[in-house]
Amino acid sequence: MNLSQLILGSSSVARKNILNEMGFEFQVMTADIDERSIRRKDPDELVMLLAEAKGQPTNMPGSGARRHQGALLTHKNLKYADAIMSRMNISDYQKEGDQPTLLITSDIVVVHEGIIREKPSSKEEARQFLKGYSGGHVSTVGGVVVTNLTTGKKLGSLDKAEVYFHDIPDEIIENLIDEGVVFRVAGGLLLEHPLVLPFVEAVVGSSDSVMGLSKDLANKLIHEALLA
């Protein structure tokens, strides 16, 4: 793979672990955006907006709204990219003959009973989310955007999964809330947490997609972006 550098636009531990498991060496640059200021009723559109907002440059050629495999990409909310792009001199990545540098950004939302659930904002909301999952199921919608910083080309798509749960005891829910980690993930959903795993009945789709980054989709988009 002729890749000069891969940049992950996320501080997510799960996404770092997934890229490590895929064998990639990468640099991390975080995106300081107010995700709750970006709103859409359609979860597919919302995650693509969030994923692109995390990596959208303000001065890159070739950016704009386009569709890739039916997924909506847009360049709204460009100001939220400043946390990443203001730390880069884009022209450094666009020198003739250079191997491509790729930026990968992603986002995920949890959908329960038709309602989008992002990161819980309070203990009460986290408790409501987790009790709702007990004995039921949730869907996840993940959006991934890979930008070739050398050519300015952008590719993105969606990945979906479903998680079915056994009944989750109130004690487990309270322990998760007291630990505080549920407030850092979409819907308070922690598939990989040792307190949660025993109560997962089934996953339809890939577990890495539920955790924040589909390996198959990321690998596909990375290879396509190198050719873009």
Side-chain angles (χ1 to χ4, degrees):
M1 182 182 299
N2 294 321
L3 175 62
S4 172
Q5 186 179 17
L6 178 65
I7 300 169
L8 172 63
S10 172
S11 60
S12 163
V13 174
R15 292 188 180 106
K16 293 176 190 175
N17 289 339
I18 288 169
L19 283 182
N20 279 323
E21 289 172 3
M22 294 173 69
F24 287 111
E25 294 183 2
F26 57 91
Q27 177 183 354
V28 172
M29 290 190 178
T30 56
D32 184 17
I33 67 168
D34 179 7
E35 296 183 5
R36 290 181 179 269
S37 71
I38 303 177
R39 280 288 178 266
R40 291 293 185 276
K41 292 182 179 180
D42 184 337
D44 294 10
E45 185 174 350
L46 176 62
V47 294
M48 293 308 294
L49 280 168
L50 290 170
E52 186 160 340
K54 290 177 179 180
Q56 176 67 54
T58 57
N59 61 344
M60 180 180 296
S63 63
R66 57 174 67 99
R67 292 182 180 272
H68 178 69
Q69 296 181 350
L72 177 65
L73 296 179
T74 174
H75 60 184
K76 287 188 69 174
N77 301 296
L78 300 186
K79 63 182 180 180
Y80 299 120
D82 287 347
I84 293 178
M85 304 311 298
S86 65
R87 295 161 60 185
M88 296 179 177
N89 185 350
I90 296 300
S91 61
D92 288 345
Y93 300 98
Q94 297 174 339
K95 296 175 182 177
E96 187 175 352
D98 280 358
Q99 291 184 333
T101 294
L102 302 184
L103 169 66
I104 181 168
T105 53
S106 65
D107 200 78
I108 186 170
V109 294
V110 173
V111 182
H112 181 251
E113 296 181 346
I115 300 173
I116 294 174
R117 290 186 167 175
E118 298 176 57
K119 298 172 184 176
S121 58
S122 67
K123 288 186 175 183
E124 181 180 351
E125 189 173 50
R127 189 175 294 112
Q128 175 192 350
F129 285 4
L130 296 174
K131 284 181 177 290
Y133 305 155
S134 178
H137 80 282
V138 298
S139 301
T140 61
V141 182
V144 181
V145 175
V146 177
T147 303
N148 186 324
L149 297 176
T150 306
T151 66
K153 301 296 184 180
K154 183 188 284 51
L155 297 172
S157 193
L158 300 173
D159 191 78
K160 301 181 182 182
E162 293 186 30
V163 184
Y164 291 80
F165 290 96
H166 298 294
D167 290 339
I168 306 173
D170 288 347
E171 180 183 358
I172 296 297
I173 291 174
E174 294 304 319
N175 287 341
L176 287 166
I177 293 172
D178 289 342
E179 189 176 315
V181 68
V182 294
F183 300 105
R184 300 196 293 270
V185 293
L189 182 63
L190 287 158
L191 183 67
E192 70 277 20
H193 196 288
L195 289 179
V196 176
L197 272 177
F199 302 100
V200 175
E201 181 178 1
V203 177
V204 179
S206 65
S207 59
D208 41 83
S209 179
V210 178
M211 292 165 60
L213 183 64
S214 164
K215 290 180 181 179
D216 288 344
L217 180 57
N219 198 51
K220 176 178 181 292
L221 291 176
I222 286 170
H223 279 83
E224 289 180 359
L226 287 173
L227 302 175

